[in-house]
Amino acid sequence: MNAPLPTPVQRIELPTGTLDLRIDSGASELDALLGFAARANAKRGFLFLSKVLGKHWPAQPIDMLMVHERLAATVPPLGGAVQGPVVFIAMAETAIGLGQGVFEAWLRAHPGQQALFLHTTRYRVGDGPLIEFEEAHSHAPRQFLHTPVDPELHALLLAARTLVLVDDEASTGNTFVNLAAACRRLNPGLERVHLATITNFMGRAATGLLDTRFGMPTTCGALVEGEFSFAQGPLPPDQGVAQRYEEDADRGASAAFGRLGTARALRAPEQLAARLAREFAPGSRVLVLGTGEFMHVSTLFGAALQRQGVDVVVQSTTRSPILTWGAVDHALTFPDNYGEGIANYLYNVAPGQYDHVLACHETAPGPALFTLARLLQARLFHFQSEDHVEEVPVR
């Protein structure tokens, strides 16, 4: 993929090839933030697996919120010639929760300043305008960005001068460039871009060329920085399609949590957390499970439980096929709850591992969710909005 690095700090032999990694900054945090996994994907056979996303690895909410604050602090300050609202966009699927958390942390640190949050998605919501772009290395390459239909939110998008793109890692920057170009066509007044990532493995030379690639001043804030090269080995077996996009299909994806934009932080389900905490026996181990793109609510739910003294971690299901190797020691497969007819996965969770599993979902309850609930002995919580949450009896 890249030319071999002259002095790799670390060489990782994966079942799918050889990954060489040089760390330029943040080496002391590498093990706490990151693991390595092998992807069942001939386009890219490796995965930088974050341990603080609440996606493929069990993460404590307090650790996740701290990462959100640190990445929000990397956004350059407004002032001088740069004014106007800030638009935060999180990249689906993996970084949706991360991006919304960074946006909310920035709002807390900048009271009174205007900002808009959107996240990309692989589902259409409503019939409003959207931007399509490609994440070329993904198993599900088609992504969409809905433009807000609310007039005030749409005005924020068009008035923005700073664009903040959030993902768990930057390896080439190509997807960021594609999305920023699409946003600039919509809003030619954008003046600068900031990339907020847990890891930046583009390398010093590529990072130094960001202004040229994006066509405007571009900065990058990351907790770990370095460079990688990957020598592809044996191709993994074909895992089947990971995306079946049908323009007119209703996948049950919500418009209430970020796809159509929001200018404020979501409220945590404090009352629900307090009630459940009273039900749990002392010392109970609890998993709060997000589903697919519906991630940030599970983080807020987990944080609320943690404030009640519950021993809780957060994770999410995913459409990404990953091999059982390295940072992935267990894998579960089940139908997807968005009705695409594709396989979904949950990693590093085994049935019976937790005393309580609380699965959060935006889609209406159906056979796929009931299958998942029975597999994990989980309770289902249907979040139709911040203020409307129903526990669904498992059938």
Side-chain angles (χ1 to χ4, degrees):
M1 179 171 292
N2 294 349
L5 303 181
T7 53
V9 170
Q10 192 170 358
R11 170 163 287 183
I12 304 102
E13 297 289 351
L14 291 79
T16 53
T18 300
L19 178 67
D20 284 345
L21 189 64
R22 187 193 70 229
I23 302 300
D24 297 326
S25 65
S28 63
E29 294 191 89
L30 185 65
D31 289 343
L33 295 175
L34 189 67
F36 304 100
R39 288 159 53 103
N41 182 345
K43 299 176 185 177
R44 178 176 289 187
F46 65 93
L47 177 67
F48 298 120
L49 189 145
S50 173
K51 297 179 179 178
V52 289
L53 275 179
K55 192 64 175 176
H56 310 112
W57 186 276
Q60 291 195 356
I62 190 172
D63 294 335
M64 299 169 69
L65 296 177
M66 186 178 301
V67 166
H68 300 166
E69 291 179 358
R70 293 176 64 188
L71 289 181
T74 71
V75 179
L78 302 179
V82 181
Q83 299 291 335
V86 180
V87 173
F88 290 77
I89 301 179
M91 307 300 288
E93 169 187 87
T94 303
I96 289 175
L98 174 70
Q100 198 153 6
V102 171
F103 160 74
E104 293 183 356
W106 190 91
L107 284 182
R108 290 192 296 270
H110 301 84
Q113 294 190 2
Q114 290 185 308
L116 172 70
F117 171 75
L118 292 160
H119 71 74
T120 68
T121 180
R122 292 183 170 93
Y123 309 114
R124 172 176 268 285
V125 175
D127 55 4
L130 52 76
I131 296 168
E132 180 174 352
F133 65 101
E134 184 176 87
E135 185 179 17
H137 64 264
S138 174
H139 250 75
R142 296 184 71 178
Q143 285 211 52
F144 308 98
L145 181 71
H146 292 81
T147 57
V149 294
D150 178 275
E152 292 184 4
L153 298 180
H154 195 263
L156 279 179
L157 176 61
L158 297 185
R161 295 296 172 263
T162 299
L163 177 64
V164 179
L165 303 179
V166 185
D167 208 348
D168 56 315
E169 56 97 3
S171 53
T172 66
N174 292 336
T175 305
F176 282 146
V177 171
N178 293 342
L179 179 55
C183 291
R184 201 174 191 184
R185 288 192 293 271
L186 184 67
N187 174 6
L190 286 170
E191 297 175 356
R192 64 177 181 176
V193 175
H194 181 71
L195 311 180
T197 63
I198 296 173
T199 58
N200 169 19
F201 291 133
M202 292 185 290
R204 294 170 184 159
T207 300
L209 294 173
L210 288 177
D211 289 5
T212 300
R213 294 184 67 193
F214 282 84
M216 67 181 107
T218 303
T219 52
C220 184
L223 306 186
V224 176
E225 295 184 291
E227 189 172 5
F228 80 96
S229 68
F230 184 69
Q232 184 80 46
L235 296 179
D238 184 7
Q239 298 292 306
V241 297
Q243 184 176 30
R244 286 196 176 98
Y245 177 70
E246 301 170 29
E247 185 171 354
D248 298 325
D250 182 0
R251 300 300 185 192
S254 174
F257 298 99
R259 288 186 180 89
L260 299 184
T262 182
R264 61 173 182 81
L266 288 175
R267 294 184 298 273
E270 300 287 353
Q271 292 184 342
L272 176 61
R275 176 175 65 80
L276 292 173
R278 291 192 293 269
E279 297 178 12
F280 300 153
S284 294
R285 301 182 68 237
V286 177
L287 169 66
V288 179
L289 185 66
T291 45
E293 294 185 356
F294 191 62
M295 294 175 59
H296 189 52
V297 165
S298 62
T299 303
L300 298 178
F301 193 6
L305 287 167
Q306 199 166 40
R307 287 190 286 272
Q308 296 289 333
V310 176
D311 179 7
V312 59
V313 293
V314 174
Q315 274 196 245
S316 174
T317 64
T318 177
R319 67 169 76 211
S320 297
I322 307 173
L323 303 181
T324 305
W325 177 90
V328 173
D329 61 14
H330 197 278
L332 298 173
T333 306
F334 40 87
D336 83 287
N337 58 297
Y338 290 90
E340 286 185 285
I342 61 175
N344 271 206
Y345 309 93
L346 179 61
Y347 299 109
N348 294 313
V349 174
Q353 181 177 346
Y354 296 95
D355 299 303
H356 302 278
V357 177
L358 313 176
C360 306
H361 55 98
E362 60 178 338
T363 58
L369 285 168
F370 295 141
T371 297
L372 175 63
R374 289 192 295 268
L375 182 65
L376 297 174
Q377 295 297 298
R379 296 166 69 174
L380 296 176
F381 292 87
H382 185 196
F383 285 77
Q384 298 176 54
S385 69
E386 290 174 291
D387 303 314
H388 189 181
V389 185
E390 293 182 354
E391 183 170 359
V392 179
V394 177
R395 300 199 294 269

